[in-house]
Amino acid sequence: MDSGKTQTTRWHPFADERTLQAAAVESIVASARQAIRDRGSFHIVLAGGRTPRGVYERLAATRSDWASWFVYFGDERCLPVSDPERNSTMAAESWLNHVGIPVAQVHGIPAECDPLEAARNYAQILSRVGDFDFVLLGLGEDGHTASLFPGHALGESPEAPDVLAVFDAPKPPPQRVSLSAHRLGRARNVIFLVSGESKRRSVAAWRAGEQIPATAIVPRSGVDVLLESALLE
Ligand code: 6PG
């Protein structure tokens, strides 16, 4: 059952991945400055996969009031803690290990344990967090986002759990933990980072109005899709 709400989608084409990454960093840093000024803290959810690495590397080279940043993950792969294929490992190596965000303010998903237990544990952590200030998401070739896959529970309704255990993900590894579509949509800013020829079909489906997991993310303020302009041709 979908939430019945329709996503407001703003498309932002960029000539190449480099300019896309620079724009994403600019948006994140500006949003952080505003949130810290208004509320004294900045709560951001990170995307996994390959695409965001360049954004994280650029963030490592920027200056910000890191002590006021609070980091969460949109999803995690059920792998050992320091496995190179974990989303937390990529974020740490490309960014978090290089800036002064207090370790206690970086909330990794404990996906090294049983997915159901990890989902319960992370939902507990999120129960103490209000709407996120910023959510970064990727887009898969099949239209998935985070670890919300076509034909699987997306957690779109307000009654859905904040965090879902995934056992048969089509993108390896099969076991994952993901924030629900509803929880990912409880955010002031939601940005999708989309690059690579392999995303052409899912972008076309999205723009044609098809329901894909990415369209299940329906924040009040809409979503911004930063993508390579070649994917619109
Ligand atoms: C993951 C991500 C996943 C990713 C998309 C895009 O664990 O793989 O959460 O949702 O964002 O699959 O992946 P790429 O950026 O590698 O194309």
Side-chain angles (χ1 to χ4, degrees), residues 17 46-53 74-77 85-87 90 136-142 144-149 171-173 176-178 193-196 198-199:
E17 196 170 27
L46 302 188
R50 178 202 61 78
T51 305
R53 178 185 286 272
D75 67 330
E76 186 56 276
R77 305 163 181 189
E85 286 303 306
R86 269 182 69 131
N87 292 328
M90 187 274 279
L136 265 183
L137 288 167
L139 179 70
E141 291 84 10
D142 58 0
H144 79 256
T145 192
S147 287
L148 303 173
F149 292 92
K171 176 178 181 182
R176 292 160 166 260
V177 180
S178 181
L193 304 172
V194 183
S195 71
S198 65
K199 311 301 171 72

Side-chain angles (χ1 to χ4, degrees), residues 14-34:
F14 292 89
D16 54 39
E17 196 170 27
R18 201 178 47 77
T19 47
L20 185 158
Q21 291 169 353
V25 170
E26 195 179 319
S27 174
I28 294 167
V29 170
S31 175
R33 197 176 303 119
Q34 177 86 44

Side-chain angles (χ1 to χ4, degrees), residues 72-157:
Y72 310 86
F73 290 81
D75 67 330
E76 186 56 276
R77 305 163 181 189
C78 292
L79 296 166
V81 174
S82 52
D83 190 292
E85 286 303 306
R86 269 182 69 131
N87 292 328
S88 54
T89 304
M90 187 274 279
E93 288 177 351
S94 56
W95 171 33
L96 301 175
N97 290 348
H98 309 288
V99 297
I101 301 174
V103 171
Q105 293 172 204
V106 177
H107 296 284
I109 299 176
E112 59 282 1
C113 52
D114 163 72
L116 282 169
E117 186 189 332
R120 277 194 298 272
N121 175 304
Y122 211 60
Q124 265 296 8
I125 291 170
L126 295 185
S127 67
R128 300 190 284 273
V129 182
D131 287 2
F132 298 119
D133 293 302
F134 211 101
V135 171
L136 265 183
L137 288 167
L139 179 70
E141 291 84 10
D142 58 0
H144 79 256
T145 192
S147 287
L148 303 173
F149 292 92
H152 290 64
L154 304 180
E156 297 171 83
S157 78

Side-chain angles (χ1 to χ4, degrees), residues 192-205:
F192 284 82
L193 304 172
V194 183
S195 71
E197 185 55 31
S198 65
K199 311 301 171 72
R200 180 176 296 280
R201 194 171 57 82
S202 49
V203 167

Side-chain angles (χ1 to χ4, degrees), residues 36-58:
I36 294 166
R37 186 169 50 233
D38 295 350
R39 292 178 294 280
S41 61
F42 178 61
H43 296 256
I44 183 171
V45 176
L46 302 188
R50 178 202 61 78
T51 305
R53 178 185 286 272
V55 171
Y56 300 158
E57 287 167 348
R58 286 168 180 265

